[in-house]
Amino acid sequence: MTGITKGFFGALANDGVDFDLQWGEVHALLGENGAGKSTLCSILAGLYHPDGGEININGRPVELRSPHAALEHGVGMVYQHFRLVDRFTVAENIALGHPDATFLSRSKDLEKQVEHLSSKYNMPVPADAGVWQLSVGEEQRVEILKLLHRGVQILILDEPTAVLTPQEARNLFRTIRSMAEEGRAIIFVSHKLDEVMEVSDRVTVLRDGKKVGTLPTSEADPASLARMMVGRDLEMPARREGVPGEPVLTVSGLTADGDRGFEAVRNVDLEVRAGQIMGVAGVSGNGQRELAEALTGLRPVKAGQVFLGGVDITRSSVLDRIKLGLGFVPEDRLGTGLAKGLPLAKNLSLKSYRAPPLSTGPVISKRAVDQRADELIQRFDIRGTRPGLPVSLLSGGNLQRAILAREISGGPKAMVAAAPTRGLDVAATEAIRTLLLEERDKGAAILMISEDLEEVLALSDEIVVLYEGRIIGRLRPDQADPEVMGLMMAGREVDLS
Amino acid sequence: MNDSVIILTLVSAIGIGTPILLAGIGEMMTEHSGVMNLGVEGMMLVGGVVGFWASTETASIPLAMAAGMLAGVLVALIHAFFSVTLRVNQIVSGLALVTAGTGVSSFIGGLDNSALGGMRSVSTLDPVFGGDITDLPVVGPLLLGHDWVVYLSWLLVALAGFWLFRTKKGLALRAVGEDPATADAAGIAVTPIRYIYTLVGGAGAGLGGAYLTIGVFGVWQNGITAGIGWIAFALVIFAGWRPWRALVAAYIFGALRNTGFTLQIMGVEISSDILNALPFILTIVALIIISARPVAARAFRAPSALAVPYARESR
């Protein structure tokens, strides 16, 4: 790929990027969020059309006008948000769009081919199960199998490890290596340095839509890559112990049903103290979302109790919980967290508009709302917007700053934060973590639910592991090495002594 | 025995149920592609008047049916252009079709000063199997006494079920309606598929309309569908987007439509407004029952991307 340029709404996501990929190599594409990694890959996968530049495969120029055209040229991508039809079975998803001759959608041949591929690359998947029944790791395997089945030779993996346990990630790396050994070319997109060091042959670093450089992994080290990525030296906030005070958020025997009707949260006991961050670790889909929703009043509680500052809020409305000082940073930033189409100023006032100074009686003061927004934008360093623009134009990091600005400015006693830095780049992650730690030091009780082990280890004063809705282990950060955590996240009980 | 109230009710239910079924199967195919076309009523009216006009002009029933179908396709093309290419709100576009279809059909019905209104259909649809065979008890009138359009509708139900759930084309279609981004990434062309199946829906509605005027009533009158298009729309939901269930449900709805007469004969007084509302009430009840059972709710829910326009580069 040479001179690739692509703009969205006047901002260049890729600015004259050159990229070369060799057969048989794993080429890591490293960069912060918004550096243009996904855009570059989407162009190669035919999803976006470049504004300028040229793509050559085996020395011949190609036009990749659609994902279909890209697949014909042997280019396939595993997107960060999986492209699987939830309602279809694994086999149906693999058959989807496959250009072979059979007319029928269910065939023995297909099942055999899927089984063959899945055993060859050591990626076990149940072929006749519905995708909605699969774990995230399994879904990812289906995605890869789907592309292998279509004979893809150039495989793009966009942030593939974001959702995996350490063990699953290691399996994936093994699969990636064996695919490369067969001569396939693999692009591995990531912002995690140690993964890049572990799996890739060469690294290309992008920053602000431009290429910073390409170098063999053997000549790279994490520190130099980080500098290339961010453009300056970075220091992650050193973990300081919190000073836990009185219990603020107490949960006993909490049980709640999931969307599919069975119990998603089972008999959970928690005690989060003032000035403490309790991390809830676990693989996605083990009751994290349901736990957060049950605590914040978005999901009915089937059994058990929730206390906030000594008050029983088990059956309280969402509004009552907010009034009692419960903050919520949801996983789904643009759905539950912010109202997509509303301007930033309105979003920032969503939890405080009911009372003066933002409103008098039934009338909202636009000036006060805008003024509050200006203050919060300043204080929380929300960039790239004005109070009047819809929040959907913000980048991930700024969305999260906006949510934290709203929640923290409400002076919460307790806060439930779900995946607070998921998908954020290094700089934004640093900023969000600092905010959470400051809030803790001011005395808030924070329950942080996260699938990202690194995040849990970096912030928590105490860790619990959630598996199938139950708490399967409790540990202090000093007891929690990734190995032990990974086993617990996979449902194994571990004796810590 | 073949003259019993039950048999007669069922036979007339199949009569009025057939246009509902034809339009409903068409709309079902459209909705499986993620396009919702609320304009069934309008497409049926235009198909009905064009089909009826063609039958008076050509005296050929197959030609008349084809003309009605084509008219429905043309009306559906408008919806496809607005909702797939221009990505306007599908509810607005569909409702516009109803209004436009009502107007256009009245206009065509009054052309040439030779108003079609009140004219009897020139030729009629005869049963396929003649003679003694239809005198067989129960099976005779219920299975063997119909014209070819009814048998065609059964064939279409079987074909739709096979197409949707057994073929790759059907898999691609449902993928487009479930998750167009995924379908696109799998190399399936979303826009052409949405166009084609929106037109298929128009064909079903047009054919249903033509059968209604020619086969069921034998006359053209302004607004003759009287809500049958809306019943066809409800049918898709009631049937949980499954063709075989639509077959049964269409006849239940058809029977309800005729219950008024039957009840009158039996001396029961009941408001026809209530009877006309029954298909919709039944649909709501069915939705409530289904949503209370999680497994059924998963199996019989609407395509996930129904009425959601797809744009590849939106972010």
Short mmCIF file of all heavy atoms in Angstrom, two decimals, chain A residues 6 8 47-49 65-68 71 79 83-85 87-88 92 96-97 100 102-106 132 150 260, chain B residues 162-163 165-168 171 174-175 178-179 181-182 184-188 294 298-299 301-303 312-313 315:
data_model
loop_
_atom_site.label_atom_id
_atom_site.label_comp_id
_atom_site.label_asym_id
_atom_site.label_seq_id
_atom_site.Cartn_x
_atom_site.Cartn_y
_atom_site.Cartn_z
N LYS A 6 -7.04 8.97 3.54
CA LYS A 6 -8.49 8.84 3.73
C LYS A 6 -8.95 9.86 4.77
O LYS A 6 -8.34 9.97 5.84
CB LYS A 6 -8.84 7.43 4.20
CG LYS A 6 -10.29 7.24 4.63
CD LYS A 6 -11.20 7.11 3.45
CE LYS A 6 -12.67 7.06 3.87
NZ LYS A 6 -13.58 7.11 2.72
N PHE A 8 -12.25 11.69 7.02
CA PHE A 8 -13.65 11.65 7.45
C PHE A 8 -14.02 13.03 7.94
O PHE A 8 -13.34 13.57 8.82
CB PHE A 8 -13.84 10.67 8.61
CG PHE A 8 -13.78 9.24 8.19
CD1 PHE A 8 -12.65 8.49 8.42
CD2 PHE A 8 -14.86 8.64 7.57
CE1 PHE A 8 -12.59 7.17 8.04
CE2 PHE A 8 -14.81 7.32 7.19
CZ PHE A 8 -13.68 6.58 7.43
N LEU A 47 -13.59 -2.15 2.85
CA LEU A 47 -14.77 -1.56 3.48
C LEU A 47 -14.83 -0.06 3.22
O LEU A 47 -15.88 0.49 2.93
CB LEU A 47 -14.72 -1.83 4.99
CG LEU A 47 -16.03 -1.60 5.73
CD1 LEU A 47 -17.06 -2.64 5.33
CD2 LEU A 47 -15.80 -1.66 7.23
N TYR A 48 -13.68 0.60 3.31
CA TYR A 48 -13.62 2.03 2.99
C TYR A 48 -12.90 2.20 1.67
O TYR A 48 -12.01 1.41 1.33
CB TYR A 48 -12.86 2.82 4.05
CG TYR A 48 -13.47 2.82 5.41
CD1 TYR A 48 -12.68 3.06 6.54
CD2 TYR A 48 -14.83 2.60 5.60
CE1 TYR A 48 -13.23 3.07 7.81
CE2 TYR A 48 -15.38 2.60 6.86
CZ TYR A 48 -14.58 2.84 7.97
OH TYR A 48 -15.12 2.84 9.22
N HIS A 49 -13.24 3.25 0.99
CA HIS A 49 -12.57 3.53 -0.26
C HIS A 49 -11.58 4.66 -0.03
O HIS A 49 -11.96 5.70 0.48
CB HIS A 49 -13.59 3.90 -1.33
CG HIS A 49 -13.02 3.83 -2.69
ND1 HIS A 49 -12.65 2.64 -3.27
CD2 HIS A 49 -12.69 4.79 -3.57
CE1 HIS A 49 -12.14 2.89 -4.46
NE2 HIS A 49 -12.16 4.17 -4.67
N ARG A 65 -12.84 -2.41 -4.16
CA ARG A 65 -13.99 -1.51 -4.03
C ARG A 65 -15.00 -1.98 -2.99
O ARG A 65 -15.87 -1.22 -2.58
CB ARG A 65 -14.70 -1.36 -5.38
CG ARG A 65 -13.86 -0.65 -6.41
CD ARG A 65 -14.73 0.01 -7.46
NE ARG A 65 -14.14 1.27 -7.88
CZ ARG A 65 -14.43 2.44 -7.34
NH1 ARG A 65 -15.33 2.52 -6.38
NH2 ARG A 65 -13.84 3.53 -7.76
N SER A 66 -14.94 -3.24 -2.61
CA SER A 66 -15.89 -3.76 -1.63
C SER A 66 -15.23 -4.90 -0.88
O SER A 66 -14.23 -5.45 -1.34
CB SER A 66 -17.15 -4.27 -2.34
OG SER A 66 -16.81 -5.40 -3.11
N PRO A 67 -15.78 -5.27 0.29
CA PRO A 67 -15.23 -6.44 0.99
C PRO A 67 -15.22 -7.67 0.09
O PRO A 67 -14.33 -8.51 0.18
CB PRO A 67 -16.20 -6.62 2.17
CG PRO A 67 -16.79 -5.28 2.40
CD PRO A 67 -16.87 -4.65 1.04
N HIS A 68 -16.22 -7.73 -0.80
CA HIS A 68 -16.30 -8.86 -1.71
C HIS A 68 -15.07 -8.90 -2.62
O HIS A 68 -14.42 -9.94 -2.78
CB HIS A 68 -17.57 -8.73 -2.54
CG HIS A 68 -17.81 -9.88 -3.45
ND1 HIS A 68 -18.12 -11.13 -2.97
CD2 HIS A 68 -17.74 -9.99 -4.79
CE1 HIS A 68 -18.26 -11.95 -3.99
NE2 HIS A 68 -18.03 -11.29 -5.11
N LEU A 71 -12.03 -9.99 -0.70
CA LEU A 71 -12.02 -11.43 -0.46
C LEU A 71 -11.58 -12.18 -1.72
O LEU A 71 -10.85 -13.16 -1.65
CB LEU A 71 -13.41 -11.91 -0.01
CG LEU A 71 -13.77 -11.56 1.44
CD1 LEU A 71 -15.26 -11.79 1.69
CD2 LEU A 71 -12.94 -12.38 2.41
N TYR A 79 -12.83 -8.15 12.30
CA TYR A 79 -13.09 -6.82 12.85
C TYR A 79 -13.12 -6.87 14.36
O TYR A 79 -13.38 -7.90 14.97
CB TYR A 79 -14.41 -6.27 12.32
CG TYR A 79 -14.42 -6.06 10.84
CD1 TYR A 79 -14.74 -7.10 9.97
CD2 TYR A 79 -14.06 -4.84 10.29
CE1 TYR A 79 -14.72 -6.93 8.60
CE2 TYR A 79 -14.05 -4.65 8.92
CZ TYR A 79 -14.38 -5.70 8.08
OH TYR A 79 -14.36 -5.52 6.73
N ARG A 83 -18.02 -9.68 12.93
CA ARG A 83 -19.03 -9.67 11.88
C ARG A 83 -19.64 -11.07 11.79
O ARG A 83 -19.37 -11.82 10.87
CB ARG A 83 -18.42 -9.24 10.55
CG ARG A 83 -17.85 -7.83 10.58
CD ARG A 83 -18.96 -6.82 10.76
NE ARG A 83 -18.49 -5.48 11.05
CZ ARG A 83 -18.22 -4.56 10.13
NH1 ARG A 83 -18.39 -4.85 8.87
NH2 ARG A 83 -17.82 -3.37 10.47
N LEU A 84 -20.45 -11.40 12.79
CA LEU A 84 -21.14 -12.68 12.78
C LEU A 84 -22.61 -12.41 12.98
O LEU A 84 -22.98 -11.50 13.73
CB LEU A 84 -20.64 -13.56 13.93
CG LEU A 84 -19.20 -14.04 13.87
CD1 LEU A 84 -18.83 -14.75 15.16
CD2 LEU A 84 -18.99 -14.96 12.69
N VAL A 85 -23.45 -13.17 12.30
CA VAL A 85 -24.88 -13.03 12.51
C VAL A 85 -25.23 -13.85 13.75
O VAL A 85 -25.12 -15.06 13.76
CB VAL A 85 -25.68 -13.50 11.29
CG1 VAL A 85 -27.16 -13.27 11.52
CG2 VAL A 85 -25.23 -12.76 10.05
N ARG A 87 -27.85 -14.73 15.18
CA ARG A 87 -28.95 -15.66 15.19
C ARG A 87 -28.65 -16.92 14.39
O ARG A 87 -29.41 -17.88 14.44
CB ARG A 87 -30.12 -14.95 14.56
CG ARG A 87 -31.42 -15.18 15.22
CD ARG A 87 -32.35 -14.22 14.56
NE ARG A 87 -33.71 -14.52 14.88
CZ ARG A 87 -34.73 -13.89 14.32
NH1 ARG A 87 -34.51 -12.95 13.45
NH2 ARG A 87 -35.95 -14.19 14.65
N PHE A 88 -27.59 -16.91 13.61
CA PHE A 88 -27.25 -18.06 12.79
C PHE A 88 -26.36 -19.01 13.58
O PHE A 88 -25.72 -18.62 14.55
CB PHE A 88 -26.49 -17.62 11.53
CG PHE A 88 -27.33 -16.91 10.50
CD1 PHE A 88 -28.66 -16.59 10.74
CD2 PHE A 88 -26.78 -16.55 9.29
CE1 PHE A 88 -29.43 -15.93 9.79
CE2 PHE A 88 -27.54 -15.88 8.33
CZ PHE A 88 -28.85 -15.57 8.58
N GLU A 92 -23.68 -21.96 9.59
CA GLU A 92 -24.34 -21.00 8.70
C GLU A 92 -23.49 -19.75 8.50
O GLU A 92 -23.40 -19.21 7.40
CB GLU A 92 -25.71 -20.60 9.26
CG GLU A 92 -26.79 -21.64 9.02
CD GLU A 92 -28.12 -21.26 9.65
OE1 GLU A 92 -28.14 -20.63 10.72
OE2 GLU A 92 -29.16 -21.61 9.05
N LEU A 96 -21.88 -18.38 4.97
CA LEU A 96 -22.39 -17.11 4.49
C LEU A 96 -21.45 -16.45 3.47
O LEU A 96 -20.31 -16.17 3.77
CB LEU A 96 -22.57 -16.16 5.70
CG LEU A 96 -23.40 -14.92 5.45
CD1 LEU A 96 -24.82 -15.31 5.10
CD2 LEU A 96 -23.38 -14.05 6.68
N GLY A 97 -21.99 -16.22 2.29
CA GLY A 97 -21.22 -15.50 1.29
C GLY A 97 -20.14 -16.33 0.61
O GLY A 97 -19.42 -15.85 -0.24
N ASP A 100 -18.90 -21.16 -3.11
CA ASP A 100 -18.83 -22.49 -3.74
C ASP A 100 -20.16 -22.86 -4.38
O ASP A 100 -21.15 -22.15 -4.27
CB ASP A 100 -18.33 -23.56 -2.77
CG ASP A 100 -19.33 -23.86 -1.68
OD1 ASP A 100 -20.49 -23.42 -1.83
OD2 ASP A 100 -18.95 -24.50 -0.69
N THR A 102 -22.53 -25.19 -4.08
CA THR A 102 -23.77 -25.76 -3.57
C THR A 102 -24.84 -24.70 -3.38
O THR A 102 -24.56 -23.56 -3.03
CB THR A 102 -23.57 -26.47 -2.22
OG1 THR A 102 -23.05 -25.51 -1.31
CG2 THR A 102 -22.64 -27.65 -2.36
N PHE A 103 -26.06 -25.12 -3.62
CA PHE A 103 -27.21 -24.22 -3.57
C PHE A 103 -27.78 -24.23 -2.15
O PHE A 103 -28.28 -23.23 -1.67
CB PHE A 103 -28.22 -24.72 -4.59
CG PHE A 103 -29.50 -23.95 -4.62
CD1 PHE A 103 -29.51 -22.63 -5.08
CD2 PHE A 103 -30.69 -24.53 -4.22
CE1 PHE A 103 -30.69 -21.92 -5.12
CE2 PHE A 103 -31.86 -23.82 -4.25
CZ PHE A 103 -31.87 -22.51 -4.70
N LEU A 104 -27.66 -25.37 -1.49
CA LEU A 104 -28.26 -25.50 -0.17
C LEU A 104 -27.35 -24.92 0.91
O LEU A 104 -26.13 -24.96 0.80
CB LEU A 104 -28.54 -26.97 0.13
CG LEU A 104 -29.54 -27.61 -0.83
CD1 LEU A 104 -29.75 -29.07 -0.49
CD2 LEU A 104 -30.86 -26.86 -0.82
N SER A 105 -27.98 -24.40 1.96
CA SER A 105 -27.18 -23.76 3.00
C SER A 105 -26.64 -24.77 4.01
O SER A 105 -25.72 -24.49 4.74
CB SER A 105 -28.00 -22.69 3.70
OG SER A 105 -29.17 -23.25 4.24
N ARG A 106 -27.25 -25.94 4.09
CA ARG A 106 -26.74 -26.93 5.04
C ARG A 106 -26.18 -28.11 4.27
O ARG A 106 -26.88 -28.78 3.55
CB ARG A 106 -27.88 -27.44 5.93
CG ARG A 106 -28.41 -26.35 6.82
CD ARG A 106 -29.59 -26.84 7.60
NE ARG A 106 -30.29 -25.68 8.12
CZ ARG A 106 -31.45 -25.75 8.77
NH1 ARG A 106 -32.03 -26.90 8.95
NH2 ARG A 106 -32.02 -24.66 9.22
N TRP A 132 -25.11 -16.94 19.24
CA TRP A 132 -25.49 -16.27 20.48
C TRP A 132 -25.12 -17.07 21.73
O TRP A 132 -25.08 -16.55 22.82
CB TRP A 132 -26.98 -15.94 20.47
CG TRP A 132 -27.88 -17.13 20.66
CD1 TRP A 132 -28.36 -17.59 21.86
CD2 TRP A 132 -28.41 -18.01 19.66
NE1 TRP A 132 -29.14 -18.70 21.66
CE2 TRP A 132 -29.20 -18.98 20.33
CE3 TRP A 132 -28.30 -18.06 18.27
CZ2 TRP A 132 -29.86 -19.99 19.64
CZ3 TRP A 132 -28.98 -19.06 17.59
CH2 TRP A 132 -29.73 -20.01 18.27
N ARG A 150 -12.66 -19.44 3.39
CA ARG A 150 -12.78 -18.75 2.11
C ARG A 150 -11.44 -18.62 1.40
O ARG A 150 -11.33 -17.97 0.38
CB ARG A 150 -13.37 -17.35 2.30
CG ARG A 150 -14.84 -17.43 2.66
CD ARG A 150 -15.52 -16.13 2.47
NE ARG A 150 -15.66 -15.75 1.07
CZ ARG A 150 -16.58 -14.92 0.64
NH1 ARG A 150 -17.43 -14.37 1.46
NH2 ARG A 150 -16.65 -14.59 -0.63
N ARG A 260 -31.62 -13.72 28.77
CA ARG A 260 -32.10 -14.98 28.22
C ARG A 260 -32.89 -15.78 29.23
O ARG A 260 -33.24 -16.92 29.00
CB ARG A 260 -30.93 -15.82 27.71
CG ARG A 260 -30.31 -15.20 26.48
CD ARG A 260 -29.04 -15.88 26.12
NE ARG A 260 -28.23 -14.99 25.30
CZ ARG A 260 -26.95 -15.17 25.05
NH1 ARG A 260 -26.34 -16.21 25.57
NH2 ARG A 260 -26.29 -14.34 24.30
N PHE B 162 -38.52 -22.95 1.94
CA PHE B 162 -37.31 -23.64 1.48
C PHE B 162 -36.21 -22.63 1.18
O PHE B 162 -35.07 -22.76 1.60
CB PHE B 162 -37.66 -24.46 0.24
CG PHE B 162 -36.49 -25.20 -0.35
CD1 PHE B 162 -35.97 -26.31 0.30
CD2 PHE B 162 -35.90 -24.76 -1.52
CE1 PHE B 162 -34.88 -26.99 -0.24
CE2 PHE B 162 -34.82 -25.43 -2.06
CZ PHE B 162 -34.31 -26.55 -1.42
N TRP B 163 -36.60 -21.59 0.45
CA TRP B 163 -35.64 -20.55 0.05
C TRP B 163 -34.98 -19.91 1.26
O TRP B 163 -33.76 -19.79 1.35
CB TRP B 163 -36.39 -19.51 -0.78
CG TRP B 163 -35.52 -18.53 -1.49
CD1 TRP B 163 -35.25 -17.25 -1.10
CD2 TRP B 163 -34.84 -18.73 -2.73
NE1 TRP B 163 -34.43 -16.65 -2.02
CE2 TRP B 163 -34.15 -17.53 -3.03
CE3 TRP B 163 -34.72 -19.81 -3.61
CZ2 TRP B 163 -33.38 -17.39 -4.17
CZ3 TRP B 163 -33.95 -19.65 -4.74
CH2 TRP B 163 -33.29 -18.46 -5.01
N PHE B 165 -34.82 -20.85 4.52
CA PHE B 165 -34.14 -21.59 5.57
C PHE B 165 -33.31 -22.76 5.10
O PHE B 165 -32.70 -23.46 5.90
CB PHE B 165 -35.16 -22.05 6.61
CG PHE B 165 -35.84 -20.88 7.29
CD1 PHE B 165 -37.13 -20.52 6.94
CD2 PHE B 165 -35.16 -20.12 8.22
CE1 PHE B 165 -37.74 -19.42 7.55
CE2 PHE B 165 -35.75 -19.03 8.82
CZ PHE B 165 -37.04 -18.67 8.48
N ARG B 166 -33.29 -23.01 3.78
CA ARG B 166 -32.50 -24.15 3.31
C ARG B 166 -31.48 -23.77 2.24
O ARG B 166 -30.60 -24.56 1.95
CB ARG B 166 -33.43 -25.24 2.74
CG ARG B 166 -34.24 -25.99 3.79
CD ARG B 166 -33.36 -26.97 4.54
NE ARG B 166 -34.12 -27.73 5.50
CZ ARG B 166 -34.43 -27.30 6.73
NH1 ARG B 166 -34.03 -26.10 7.11
NH2 ARG B 166 -35.12 -28.04 7.55
N THR B 167 -31.61 -22.63 1.62
CA THR B 167 -30.67 -22.31 0.54
C THR B 167 -29.70 -21.21 0.95
O THR B 167 -29.93 -20.46 1.88
CB THR B 167 -31.40 -21.82 -0.72
OG1 THR B 167 -31.94 -20.52 -0.46
CG2 THR B 167 -32.53 -22.76 -1.12
N LYS B 168 -28.60 -21.15 0.21
CA LYS B 168 -27.60 -20.12 0.48
C LYS B 168 -28.11 -18.73 0.14
O LYS B 168 -27.73 -17.75 0.78
CB LYS B 168 -26.35 -20.41 -0.34
CG LYS B 168 -25.57 -21.54 0.23
CD LYS B 168 -24.19 -21.53 -0.34
CE LYS B 168 -23.32 -22.46 0.46
NZ LYS B 168 -22.04 -22.67 -0.20
N LEU B 171 -29.98 -17.72 3.03
CA LEU B 171 -29.07 -17.41 4.13
C LEU B 171 -28.52 -15.99 3.95
O LEU B 171 -28.48 -15.19 4.89
CB LEU B 171 -27.94 -18.43 4.14
CG LEU B 171 -27.04 -18.44 5.37
CD1 LEU B 171 -27.81 -18.92 6.59
CD2 LEU B 171 -25.83 -19.34 5.13
N ARG B 174 -31.29 -13.47 4.73
CA ARG B 174 -31.54 -13.27 6.16
C ARG B 174 -30.37 -12.55 6.82
O ARG B 174 -30.55 -11.77 7.76
CB ARG B 174 -31.80 -14.62 6.83
CG ARG B 174 -33.16 -15.21 6.46
CD ARG B 174 -33.49 -16.42 7.30
NE ARG B 174 -32.61 -17.54 7.00
CZ ARG B 174 -31.99 -18.26 7.92
NH1 ARG B 174 -32.14 -17.97 9.20
NH2 ARG B 174 -31.23 -19.26 7.57
N ALA B 175 -29.16 -12.82 6.33
CA ALA B 175 -27.99 -12.12 6.89
C ALA B 175 -28.10 -10.62 6.65
O ALA B 175 -27.80 -9.81 7.52
CB ALA B 175 -26.70 -12.66 6.27
N GLU B 178 -30.55 -9.36 9.13
CA GLU B 178 -30.12 -9.47 10.52
C GLU B 178 -29.02 -8.47 10.83
O GLU B 178 -29.01 -7.83 11.86
CB GLU B 178 -29.58 -10.87 10.79
CG GLU B 178 -30.60 -11.92 11.12
CD GLU B 178 -31.33 -11.61 12.40
OE1 GLU B 178 -30.68 -11.18 13.37
OE2 GLU B 178 -32.55 -11.77 12.43
N ASP B 179 -28.05 -8.41 9.94
CA ASP B 179 -26.81 -7.71 10.24
C ASP B 179 -26.12 -7.34 8.93
O ASP B 179 -25.23 -8.05 8.47
CB ASP B 179 -25.93 -8.68 11.07
CG ASP B 179 -24.72 -7.99 11.66
OD1 ASP B 179 -24.36 -6.91 11.18
OD2 ASP B 179 -24.14 -8.56 12.59
N ALA B 181 -23.96 -5.18 8.08
CA ALA B 181 -22.51 -4.94 8.10
C ALA B 181 -21.77 -6.27 7.98
O ALA B 181 -20.78 -6.39 7.27
CB ALA B 181 -22.12 -4.22 9.38
N THR B 182 -22.27 -7.29 8.68
CA THR B 182 -21.67 -8.61 8.60
C THR B 182 -21.82 -9.20 7.21
O THR B 182 -20.88 -9.76 6.65
CB THR B 182 -22.32 -9.54 9.64
OG1 THR B 182 -22.00 -9.05 10.92
CG2 THR B 182 -21.83 -10.96 9.49
N ASP B 184 -22.15 -7.59 4.47
CA ASP B 184 -21.27 -6.83 3.59
C ASP B 184 -19.84 -7.35 3.70
O ASP B 184 -19.17 -7.60 2.70
CB ASP B 184 -21.35 -5.35 3.98
CG ASP B 184 -20.78 -4.43 2.91
OD1 ASP B 184 -20.49 -4.94 1.80
OD2 ASP B 184 -20.62 -3.23 3.17
N ALA B 185 -19.40 -7.55 4.94
CA ALA B 185 -18.03 -8.02 5.15
C ALA B 185 -17.85 -9.42 4.59
O ALA B 185 -16.74 -9.82 4.26
CB ALA B 185 -17.68 -8.00 6.64
N ALA B 186 -18.94 -10.19 4.50
CA ALA B 186 -18.84 -11.54 3.96
C ALA B 186 -18.96 -11.53 2.44
O ALA B 186 -19.04 -12.57 1.81
CB ALA B 186 -19.93 -12.44 4.56
N GLY B 187 -18.98 -10.35 1.86
CA GLY B 187 -19.00 -10.26 0.41
C GLY B 187 -20.39 -10.34 -0.20
O GLY B 187 -20.54 -10.63 -1.38
N ILE B 188 -21.43 -10.10 0.59
CA ILE B 188 -22.79 -10.13 0.07
C ILE B 188 -23.20 -8.70 -0.27
O ILE B 188 -23.00 -7.78 0.54
CB ILE B 188 -23.76 -10.73 1.10
CG1 ILE B 188 -23.39 -12.19 1.35
CG2 ILE B 188 -25.20 -10.62 0.64
CD1 ILE B 188 -24.01 -12.76 2.58
N PRO B 294 -38.84 -16.91 26.47
CA PRO B 294 -37.58 -16.46 25.88
C PRO B 294 -37.14 -17.25 24.64
O PRO B 294 -36.65 -16.66 23.69
CB PRO B 294 -36.57 -16.66 27.02
CG PRO B 294 -37.38 -16.67 28.25
CD PRO B 294 -38.73 -17.22 27.89
N ARG B 298 -36.76 -15.62 20.89
CA ARG B 298 -35.55 -15.61 20.06
C ARG B 298 -35.84 -16.12 18.65
O ARG B 298 -35.38 -15.57 17.67
CB ARG B 298 -34.49 -16.48 20.73
CG ARG B 298 -33.19 -16.56 19.97
CD ARG B 298 -32.09 -17.11 20.85
NE ARG B 298 -31.59 -16.12 21.77
CZ ARG B 298 -30.74 -15.16 21.42
NH1 ARG B 298 -30.35 -15.05 20.17
NH2 ARG B 298 -30.31 -14.30 22.30
N ALA B 299 -36.66 -17.18 18.59
CA ALA B 299 -36.91 -17.80 17.29
C ALA B 299 -37.83 -16.95 16.42
O ALA B 299 -37.66 -16.88 15.21
CB ALA B 299 -37.50 -19.19 17.48
N ARG B 301 -38.60 -13.59 16.55
CA ARG B 301 -38.54 -12.14 16.60
C ARG B 301 -38.22 -11.58 15.20
O ARG B 301 -37.83 -12.31 14.30
CB ARG B 301 -37.50 -11.67 17.60
CG ARG B 301 -36.10 -12.07 17.22
CD ARG B 301 -35.05 -11.28 17.94
NE ARG B 301 -33.83 -11.46 17.19
CZ ARG B 301 -32.66 -11.78 17.72
NH1 ARG B 301 -32.55 -11.92 19.01
NH2 ARG B 301 -31.60 -11.94 16.97
N ALA B 302 -38.41 -10.28 15.08
CA ALA B 302 -38.19 -9.63 13.79
C ALA B 302 -36.71 -9.69 13.43
O ALA B 302 -35.85 -9.78 14.30
CB ALA B 302 -38.64 -8.19 13.89
N PRO B 303 -36.41 -9.63 12.12
CA PRO B 303 -35.01 -9.48 11.72
C PRO B 303 -34.40 -8.27 12.44
O PRO B 303 -35.04 -7.23 12.53
CB PRO B 303 -35.10 -9.21 10.21
CG PRO B 303 -36.39 -9.83 9.79
CD PRO B 303 -37.32 -9.70 10.96
N ARG B 312 -22.38 1.92 4.43
CA ARG B 312 -21.13 1.24 4.74
C ARG B 312 -20.17 2.11 5.53
O ARG B 312 -19.57 1.66 6.49
CB ARG B 312 -20.48 0.80 3.44
CG ARG B 312 -19.26 -0.07 3.67
CD ARG B 312 -18.58 -0.40 2.38
NE ARG B 312 -19.27 -1.49 1.68
CZ ARG B 312 -19.03 -1.77 0.41
NH1 ARG B 312 -18.18 -1.04 -0.28
NH2 ARG B 312 -19.66 -2.76 -0.17
N GLU B 313 -20.00 3.34 5.14
CA GLU B 313 -18.96 4.15 5.78
C GLU B 313 -19.46 4.98 6.94
O GLU B 313 -18.80 5.90 7.39
CB GLU B 313 -18.25 5.04 4.75
CG GLU B 313 -17.45 4.23 3.74
CD GLU B 313 -16.36 5.04 3.05
OE1 GLU B 313 -16.06 6.15 3.48
OE2 GLU B 313 -15.82 4.52 2.06
N ARG B 315 -20.00 6.13 10.59
CA ARG B 315 -19.26 5.86 11.82
C ARG B 315 -19.55 6.94 12.84
O ARG B 315 -20.33 7.82 12.57
CB ARG B 315 -17.76 5.77 11.56
CG ARG B 315 -17.19 6.96 10.81
CD ARG B 315 -15.73 6.75 10.51
NE ARG B 315 -14.95 6.86 11.73
CZ ARG B 315 -13.65 6.65 11.77
NH1 ARG B 315 -13.00 6.29 10.71
NH2 ARG B 315 -12.98 6.80 12.88
#
